[in-house]
Amino acid sequence: MRRETVKEHSASLGREMSLIAYGYAGLPVLVFPSSEGKATDYEGFGMVDALAPLISSGKLRLYCVDSYDSESWYGRHRPASERARRHSLYEAWVMSRVMPAIARDTTDPSGGGANIRLTTTGCSFGAYHAATFALKHPRKFKHALCMSGVYDLRFLFNGYHDEGIYFNNPIEFVSNLHGDLLDEIRRGVFISLICGQGPYEER
């Protein structure tokens, strides 16, 4: 099975970030780890082995990324507004660095993959990322497979609220979507919410 790791220092995030690619062909899936996780977590928890038959046969390829949660939403040492701002930096890194890298990896010489729309997935807080990225970027994602996720960030802020939180909080902003963005989501994005047993437990 092909396994390739790309590491780069992100000046905006102030740390080295990793992207791990598994597989050579098939459905491309962007994988977010659970809260404060690493790109290696999906493999470490046995998910890559579980999907190995699909990956090895060229039906599936995975692109696993580091989270930035410890410096953004879970960075309780920072003011809430700064945590929201840092999440926006992470979102920009995914969209400006990770997505083009996946596009290059999935593009054949004839250019057939240049405008590919991805599936994205994650468990727990990774499911939050998968859902939020798909809802905010419907031209880049066609499906979000969200497992045992949390979709309301307000439990992290002890009553504090601002626009930075609102516009990244699906349980709030989805009800007010309208116009072209809502039309694009309705037309082209499918979100699967798979619920585990018991309530979400804050780490």
Side-chain angles (χ1 to χ4, degrees), residues 6-10 15-19 93 97-98:
V6 176
K7 295 178 180 285
E8 69 166 20
H9 179 80
S10 169
R15 64 165 59 171
E16 185 179 76
M17 301 294 288
S18 297
L19 168 66
W93 174 75
R97 301 296 296 173
V98 174

Side-chain angles (χ1 to χ4, degrees), residues 28 38 48 54 67-68 83 94 122 134 141 155-156 158 163 173:
K38 294 292 188 181
V48 174
L54 295 174
S67 78
Y68 192 61
R83 290 150 71 180
V94 171
F141 299 97
F155 75 96
L156 292 168
N158 296 318
E163 288 189 351
F173 76 73

Side-chain angles (χ1 to χ4, degrees), residues 76-154:
R76 293 179 174 85
H77 57 295
R78 303 185 186 280
S81 59
E82 176 64 9
R83 290 150 71 180
R85 187 187 76 85
R86 285 175 174 265
H87 170 76
S88 295
L89 296 177
Y90 177 68
E91 180 180 347
W93 174 75
V94 171
M95 299 308 298
S96 67
R97 301 296 296 173
V98 174
M99 294 295 286
I102 295 173
R104 289 191 298 271
D105 196 51
T106 56
T107 300
D108 58 43
S110 66
N115 296 314
I116 194 166
R117 291 170 67 228
L118 300 182
T119 291
T120 183
T121 190
C123 301
S124 186
F125 210 68
Y128 156 79
H129 286 301
T132 305
F133 272 81
L135 289 166
K136 294 180 71 174
H137 302 281
R139 295 182 181 179
K140 296 297 184 180
F141 299 97
K142 62 182 179 180
H143 182 208
L145 176 60
C146 308
M147 296 171 281
S148 299
V150 55
Y151 308 105
D152 189 349
L153 298 177
R154 289 174 291 187

Side-chain angles (χ1 to χ4, degrees), residues 73 79-82 84-85 157 159-168 172:
W73 299 129
S81 59
E82 176 64 9
R85 187 187 76 85
F157 299 105
Y160 177 84
H161 195 264
D162 63 17
E163 288 189 351
I165 296 170
Y166 171 85
F167 284 110
N168 289 290
E172 292 189 276

